[in-house]
Amino acid sequence: MRATSSVIVGRDAETRVLDEALDSVGRGAGRAVFLVGEAGIGKSRLAGESALRAYDRDMPVLRGRATSTGLVVPFRPLAEALSSRFRAAGAPDDPELQPYRPALAGLVPEWRSAAAAPGYAISLVELAEALLRLLAVLGRERGCVILLEDLHDSDTETIAVVEYLVDNVAELPVLLVGTLRPDPGPALDLALAAELRNTVALRELGPLDGAAVRDMAAACLDAAPGEVPPAAHAHLVRWAGGNPYLVEVLLADLLDTGRLSRAGDGWRFAEQGGATVPAGAVRSWARRLDRLDEPVRELLLVAATLGGRFSVGALRAVTGLDDRALFAHLRSASEVGIIAPDGAAHDHYAFRHALTADALRASLPPAEQAALARRAASAIEDSAGELAGELAGDQRQLVATLRLAAGDRVAASRQFAQVGRQMLDAGASGSAAVLLERARGLASDEERHEVTVQLAIAQAESGRLDEAAALLDDLPPVPAGSLAAELRAQAHTQVAWVATMAEQKEEARRRIRAARALLGAAPRPEQEAALAVVEGHLALLPERDGRGGKGGRERLEEAERSARCAALTAEERGRPVVACQAWQLLAMLSRERGFDEADACLERMLAVAEEHRLAVYRAEALVRLGTNAFMRTGEATRLETARTAAHELGSLALLQAVDGFLAMQSVLGGRWDRAREITERSVEASARLQNLSTHRYLLLVDATLAAHRGRARDQEKALLRFRRAGGEESMLVPLQRGLCQAVGALMGEDRDRAKAEIEAALAWEREHPSFFYLSGRYGLGPLLRVLDGEDTGREAHREALASPGGQLAWNRMFLDLADAVLRGRDGDPDGALRAVERAGRAATVFPQAWHLALRLTAEAALADSWGEPVAWLRTAEEYFHDAGVPPVAGACRALMRQAGVSVPQRRGGRERIPAGLRTAGVTPREYEVFVLLAERPGNQQIAQSLCISPRTVEKHMASLMAKTGSQDRSALCALSAESAYTP
């Protein structure tokens, strides 16, 4: 007989916490709540209660549970949670989620068609960010709840994703509820650390007191608390220890044995000797098993051996039962409340509680437990062999667990190691590290070192470089050049690559030295190629101690020679990944000789990637080709194509990188709203993804946006964030100085500071490798020198023209204007005008920079009497006044006054004047008069409407007729009426 409580007792404080969290989420402020307690203490009951209360508020609820079998199944709780929602409601089709579908495709079957391209492993942070966006969409209207139970049994990937959600859920309408036991491990570490950071409400569930046990027993019996026999209550308090699950188990045992029974309108408890009283759950379950049919009892013991959750296929293989008998026994076990179908998988069952499986196993003597585990392992292996196939990953883990339970540590180690290697190849490095760690602890002395090498790679790929280094350093020495040495050298090389990408230069160098020592004096060409590529990328990183200059140049030249040899060797020796890495490096290093050569390297990288179906490197090549095209022409067509490739790949990190380039292109193109939309969408997301290089670039774009708009205060705020993110220790310093701060200084009419910023960028480039060509060195800097009449101006102009950087559209605009100034100064006004026209053609996509350059050039044209400086100044003044940049607009007006030109007074409301009338010089007050003329009023009416004198109206009328070319008042009124009806 089943005895379950329909109500929750003794948990009022925890229920209030969950209610408050639901209220907060309904207001759009996310929360995270962790419920911690021993098995059976009521964590799942509370989680279920929060789900019911969320349903009452019409909130979507997603619920998943980790497996209690001990198997490492990446993301199982998350996949089950999403399935629990989408199985009935369907997956959302919100366009906002389109970029995130590839990352979630492994968890959402409906999105499998959008899965990441083969060869690309979605990073944990990409997956976590995608899940965060999905939850935000689901909770957009009323909030949503995601319940993740038994996190102590979760894989490390799930724990990492949960940590990401906990740290970033506060601004979203999402409630995360997690349950876990207080067992040492990653889940408890996460919970305690999150509590210290005040990002989670942690509630530890203690045992029920005597009154709560009585209330619970009454609820199970559907009786009033006073109707529970005192002796029965005392029995439950003594043996259950306040554990709700054990209360139910012991109460069911009392009912099954007849010791607790109905007596008229109440309940009667039969006292018995101590020997017949169950000592706990184990004895209780043993008694319950004894009352079951023999086949059902045997089936449940096998199922318990397989774990708290088991598959029908594994059970069939071990028991040998046909389907008819098997499912009949499963139904019998379900009817008595011991097991239930697992809602997450149609071919799985689960024990009602994890303690049930533990208790059933413990009811057998140790020798019998070992024999049953051995029999189960052999049966599962034999069944796979009969199908002429290999064990799947979860089957192999189950066999390893069973072999370990049977006492065969070495066999268990080999199975764990095999699954760990498979997971590492699939990109699940965290789970791989867990399994390889298990294998290492069980392995024989002969096999332990090989497992350690694989474990070190998994730890590095998981971002735990310190642990990886310690593992490799603790290995005993082996002869250089031996097979064992080569395997270790490969591991050192892989760890060095990870360290280089993480900008941990010293660690990367240590790994490279270790690899070379293991390979000896004559490594094979493909081994040398792999090391050369890592060393080349390492040479690109700036040195914090300022080392650079001539020595830095020599290192880059050596890196380029080595990379070219590595690229050819890698292609010849069948190492396409190394070849792509080498061509990518060469594209960067060859830029200074011209973008044609750089693009040729990228096209070769693209060809290798497409030939070998390396989706990651294909997308990387397209992104870099798109970036180079943007720098050449200012157009973003190829960048948009690259963005599509990054989206198809499913790489959020690469997608953010492309968005960063598109945002900068929008800044240079004067499309402020587009740039702002990208940075607002991507800055915080890139930080959450730990996509450091892109995050820094986006912060710099944000600062550059403010600088180019003349927003000095916003620029400084953005630069502060850039500095805090380590921007001034990155390769972005030349752009920070020359493209952001120098232009910002010019927008404040501080030319000396602008020149100082560009000089600072040049000084940095002399000491560090630099591959950015928009730092002012090849365009704006020479123009400013020429304008100030510096002796070095002509030489700087000639050098910039001869360089590849001088051929880029942005720089070419400034260089052509510098040429115009020099020609005008040398008495060649026609040549100067032609140079201005060339600059204008190059500047069609750079409106802000073009008007700023016109303002600068007009000053020189006025001084040397050439060109059309007044027209240029009027155009620039109009642009910067409308853009809200008073310093530049004021400088233009001052120069026009110096030229003897009448400059209209600026009033507010100029933005309301149609462009044609603004160009004609119509002032805001004149426009107010013009608008009234549509109704053909007299001067007196206009004067009264505008609170001015009739004489002033006459002056405005005369000015309007002159500026618009109207022959008389009637024509001017007709023009006003026409303008009023023109959209």
Side-chain angles (χ1 to χ4, degrees), residues 131-482:
L131 180 57
L132 196 68
R133 295 299 182 97
L134 172 59
L135 295 174
V137 168
L138 292 176
R140 183 181 291 154
E141 295 183 5
R142 299 179 183 85
C144 80
V145 179
I146 178 168
L147 308 177
L148 300 174
E149 299 183 58
D150 295 340
L151 287 173
H152 53 275
D153 285 327
S154 288
D155 55 287
T156 58
E157 283 83 5
T158 294
I159 296 299
V161 171
V162 171
E163 181 175 25
Y164 187 94
L165 296 180
V166 166
D167 287 342
N168 295 285
V169 79
E171 303 300 322
L172 300 174
V174 177
L175 170 60
L176 167 64
V177 178
T179 72
L180 63 150
R181 295 181 192 171
D183 302 334
L188 185 61
D189 292 343
L190 162 62
L192 296 176
E195 185 184 32
L196 287 175
R197 297 195 302 271
N198 291 320
T199 56
V200 71
L202 189 148
R203 292 294 178 268
E204 296 188 42
L205 305 186
L208 300 179
D209 59 21
V213 170
R214 183 181 59 248
D215 292 343
M216 184 175 181
C220 290
L221 298 172
D222 195 20
E227 295 178 6
V228 177
H233 175 221
H235 176 88
L236 295 174
V237 170
R238 178 183 180 188
W239 298 107
N243 186 297
Y245 170 71
L246 294 181
V247 169
E248 292 183 346
V249 170
L250 295 172
L251 192 58
D253 182 68
L254 293 177
L255 292 169
D256 286 346
T257 59
R259 294 181 62 197
L260 183 64
S261 60
R262 284 191 177 276
D265 294 334
W267 290 88
R268 180 179 61 83
F269 180 71
E271 295 283 358
Q272 291 186 9
T276 63
V277 177
V282 172
R283 192 165 178 182
S284 176
W285 278 112
R287 291 169 61 90
R288 295 186 70 182
L289 279 178
D290 289 341
R291 290 190 291 271
L292 295 174
D293 293 339
E294 178 69 20
V296 177
R297 181 168 62 251
E298 290 299 323
L299 179 138
L300 285 174
L301 289 172
V302 171
T305 301
L306 297 177
R309 177 177 179 269
F310 53 92
S311 74
V312 173
L315 198 60
R316 182 191 297 113
V318 180
T319 62
L321 295 171
D322 59 32
D323 283 352
R324 181 177 180 180
L326 178 66
F327 285 108
H329 299 333
L330 287 170
R331 279 195 300 274
S332 297
S334 298
E335 288 169 358
V336 295
I338 299 176
I339 63 172
D342 188 346
H346 70 277
D347 61 342
H348 279 66
Y349 279 74
F351 284 92
R352 180 169 168 262
H353 197 283
L355 281 179
T356 306
D358 295 341
L360 290 177
R361 284 195 300 272
S363 68
L364 295 175
E368 193 172 344
Q369 290 183 42
L372 186 53
R374 189 177 305 110
R375 169 188 153 202
S378 298
I380 293 172
E381 289 175 327
D382 292 344
S383 67
E386 290 173 3
L387 297 174
E390 289 190 1
L391 291 171
D394 56 348
Q395 290 178 312
R396 196 177 292 278
Q397 283 191 67
L398 177 56
V399 168
T401 303
L402 293 169
R403 291 295 181 195
L404 182 59
D408 192 344
R409 294 168 58 88
V410 173
S413 169
R414 290 170 183 163
Q415 297 287 4
F416 280 133
Q418 178 65 18
V419 186
R421 283 189 286 267
Q422 290 172 352
M423 286 194 173
L424 184 58
D425 291 341
S429 53
S431 288
V434 170
L435 291 167
L436 289 166
E437 185 69 63
R438 288 184 192 173
R440 180 170 178 259
L442 300 171
S444 63
D445 293 340
E446 296 78 15
E447 297 175 357
R448 183 172 295 114
H449 301 322
E450 181 182 348
V451 176
T452 300
V453 170
Q454 294 296 316
L455 175 58
I457 296 173
Q459 296 284 30
E461 295 288 347
S462 302
R464 295 185 284 271
L465 280 168
D466 291 344
E467 290 89 336
L471 287 167
L472 291 174
D473 291 341
D474 287 344
L475 288 169
V478 293
S482 64

Side-chain angles (χ1 to χ4, degrees), residues 556-726:
L556 292 180
E557 290 174 354
E558 175 59 30
E560 184 173 359
R561 287 192 294 270
S562 298
R564 195 167 298 279
C565 180
L568 298 175
T569 299
E571 287 194 41
E572 179 183 332
R573 296 293 181 112
R575 300 287 295 274
V577 170
V578 175
C580 286
Q581 292 170 343
W583 287 118
Q584 181 177 322
L585 174 62
L586 287 167
M588 185 71 75
L589 293 170
S590 61
R591 263 189 181 183
E592 63 180 1
R593 291 192 300 277
F595 280 74
D596 288 340
E597 185 173 341
D599 281 355
C601 293
L602 291 173
E603 293 289 0
R604 184 59 196 162
M605 174 185 174
L606 180 62
V608 172
E610 289 182 338
E611 178 184 354
H612 294 277
R613 298 182 179 180
L614 301 176
V616 177
Y617 289 100
R618 175 182 179 274
E620 291 274 7
L622 290 173
V623 169
R624 281 160 176 73
L625 285 166
T627 303
N628 286 356
F630 153 59
M631 293 180 68
R632 286 179 187 238
T633 65
E635 295 289 344
T637 304
R638 290 198 74 171
L639 265 180
E640 293 288 359
T641 301
R643 191 182 193 282
T644 300
H647 178 263
E648 292 173 350
L649 176 64
S651 170
L652 294 180
L654 194 57
L655 202 59
Q656 289 174 352
V658 179
D659 280 346
F661 298 139
L662 288 171
M664 185 65 85
Q665 192 267 349
S666 297
V667 170
L668 301 186
R671 293 185 293 282
W672 316 127
D673 291 342
R674 163 100 164 127
R676 172 66 63 195
E677 184 271 327
I678 293 174
T679 55
E680 287 181 348
R681 181 183 71 226
S682 303
V683 165
E684 297 305 326
S686 62
R688 292 195 297 266
L689 277 177
Q690 302 172 31
N691 190 3
L692 181 58
S693 60
T694 296
H695 179 61
R696 289 170 176 165
Y697 189 82
L698 285 162
L699 289 174
L700 181 58
V701 170
D702 196 33
T704 306
L705 170 62
H708 284 225
R709 299 187 68 190
R711 309 291 193 263
R713 185 172 298 177
D714 291 342
Q715 173 190 330
E716 284 308 311
K717 288 180 180 177
L719 283 175
L720 180 61
R721 296 181 67 193
F722 174 73
R723 294 185 185 103
R724 286 174 175 170

